[in-house]
Amino acid sequence: MDKTYRSIFISDVHLGTKDCKAEHLNNFLKHNSCETLYLVGDIIDAWKIKQNKWRWKQSHTNVVRRILGHSKRGTKVIYILGNHDEFLRPYLHYGLGFGMLEIKNQCEHIGADGKHYLVTHGDLFDGITRLAPWLSILGDKAYDFVLTLNSRFNWFRHRLGFGYWSLSLYLKQRVKRALDFMFQFEKNLAGYCKKKGYDGVICGHIHKAEIKEIDGVSYMNDGDWVESCTALVEHHDGRWEIITWTQESDNVVDDIDSSPPKRSKRSTRKNDDGIS
């Protein structure tokens, strides 16, 4: 059954990579609509172009068409840039955007609960990405290797009649250094928001969907569409929820231009594109 929300937040789609779950995302966008759609970074993976590993499929094009279709019919679409699509950041001061689609470094979302949330991908709060980019690229290559093992492992599981199980997610949750990194990342974001007067933060980047309180600040991560296929949604009554999407059994290629609801009169305030 199709559902309508006040806002939907998705990130870390990594269009252009072989492990992107574009079919699942296209299916999700067909059955779920909103007044404001936030694309919270790493939607397109430009790193793979530099590495000559660009894998663009028809399903990736379908996702773009689906998003533009929502925008054309009234949904406000805000594209927040991340580290994998940072090639667009130099053009931000030119007011980059396409019709109803706005492109920003970060912005503020005013929730139905009246609270003010910083919306940012999160890479600017990641010390590894900012201070040691080469180490971040090395980690990206290691991540690709684990995802390849993950695909082969799940191929055997499928042949044996078992369901999907994420090896890469399991390793991240068990390795102490990964846990320490994620904790510090969340702490940095919460600290920044508290200093700037935000009630909470909505981000992506670390591929771990979660809603929790950190030192009085609401921390919400919408996850990813490579491993977990998750989205953060805001209900009209102010409730927040993480959705793990199981693909509906229909043809998502048909009816690309889905019809979202009426546009909200006000869901964001003046944007703040800079981070101190």
Side-chain angles (χ1 to χ4, degrees):
M1 183 177 65
D2 294 0
K3 291 187 176 182
T4 300
Y5 301 96
R6 185 173 186 266
S7 306
I8 294 177
F9 301 78
I10 60 175
S11 73
D12 298 274
V13 179
H14 293 275
L15 293 173
T17 66
K18 63 182 180 63
D19 296 299
C20 169
K21 300 293 192 306
E23 296 88 352
H24 287 71
L25 178 55
N26 191 19
N27 186 267
F28 171 79
L29 291 173
K30 177 179 180 179
H31 293 283
N32 298 273
S33 56
C34 59
E35 298 170 3
T36 307
L37 173 63
Y38 289 89
L39 309 174
V40 195
D42 285 3
I43 305 302
I44 298 174
D45 197 322
W47 285 17
K48 291 298 179 285
I49 299 178
K50 297 179 181 179
Q51 300 171 10
N52 197 26
K53 293 181 179 180
W54 187 248
R55 300 291 185 272
W56 192 271
K57 305 175 184 177
Q58 180 60 44
S59 59
H60 298 192
T61 300
N62 292 339
V63 168
V64 176
R65 290 176 60 198
R66 178 76 63 182
I67 292 172
L68 293 178
H70 279 288
S71 175
K72 179 181 178 182
R73 296 176 183 274
T75 296
K76 185 174 184 180
V77 181
I78 301 177
Y79 190 157
I80 305 297
L81 299 178
N83 51 310
H84 283 259
D85 40 26
E86 63 183 354
F87 68 96
L88 292 172
R89 278 178 173 156
Y91 305 100
L92 284 175
H93 63 280
Y94 294 110
L96 188 63
F98 304 94
M100 292 289 292
L101 190 152
E102 303 175 15
I103 301 179
K104 304 197 173 289
N105 208 31
Q106 66 176 24
C107 70
E108 182 182 46
H109 173 77
I110 302 178
D113 54 11
K115 294 182 178 180
H116 295 237
Y117 299 90
L118 172 68
V119 185
T120 179
H121 178 63
D123 61 297
L124 298 176
F125 297 87
D126 175 0
I128 294 178
T129 299
R130 296 186 65 186
L131 302 179
W134 64 270
L135 190 58
S136 182
I137 295 174
L138 181 62
D140 183 63
K141 290 181 180 294
Y143 183 60
D144 286 344
F145 175 71
V146 173
L147 288 177
T148 299
L149 291 179
N150 189 62
S151 297
R152 295 179 180 178
F153 177 72
N154 277 285
W155 181 84
F156 283 110
R157 283 180 60 87
H158 179 71
R159 293 295 297 271
L160 294 173
F162 296 104
Y164 179 82
W165 184 77
S166 178
L167 174 63
S168 51
L169 186 60
Y170 172 82
L171 291 175
K172 280 199 298 185
Q173 292 175 343
R174 294 298 183 276
V175 177
K176 185 179 183 301
R177 289 187 178 180
L179 290 174
D180 290 343
F181 163 75
M182 287 187 286
F183 175 76
Q184 191 62 42
F185 169 81
E186 296 166 355
K187 187 177 179 181
N188 289 342
L189 270 171
Y192 176 83
C193 288
K194 193 168 187 177
K195 180 180 179 181
K196 294 296 182 179
Y198 291 104
D199 298 297
V201 61
I202 301 169
C203 63
H205 190 51
I206 61 174
H207 294 208
K208 188 175 186 296
E210 196 166 15
I211 298 177
K212 63 183 179 181
E213 290 284 326
I214 302 177
D215 195 20
V217 175
S218 297
Y219 170 88
M220 294 184 281
N221 194 305
D222 56 25
D224 70 283
W225 288 84
V226 176
E227 300 173 75
S228 41
C229 295
T230 54
L232 174 70
V233 298
E234 179 190 20
H235 294 267
H236 288 89
D237 61 5
R239 288 181 298 114
W240 294 91
E241 180 185 3
I242 291 175
I243 295 177
T244 301
W245 188 247
T246 302
Q247 186 167 344
E248 299 286 345
S249 57
D250 60 8
N251 186 356
V252 296
V253 177
D254 297 334
D255 184 29
I256 288 294
D257 291 332
S258 56
S259 300
K262 295 180 180 179
R263 225 182 115 180
S264 173
K265 292 183 179 179
R266 185 188 183 205
S267 59
T268 59
R269 281 201 319 186
K270 182 178 178 182
N271 296 300
D272 175 14
D273 290 333
I275 290 183
S276 302

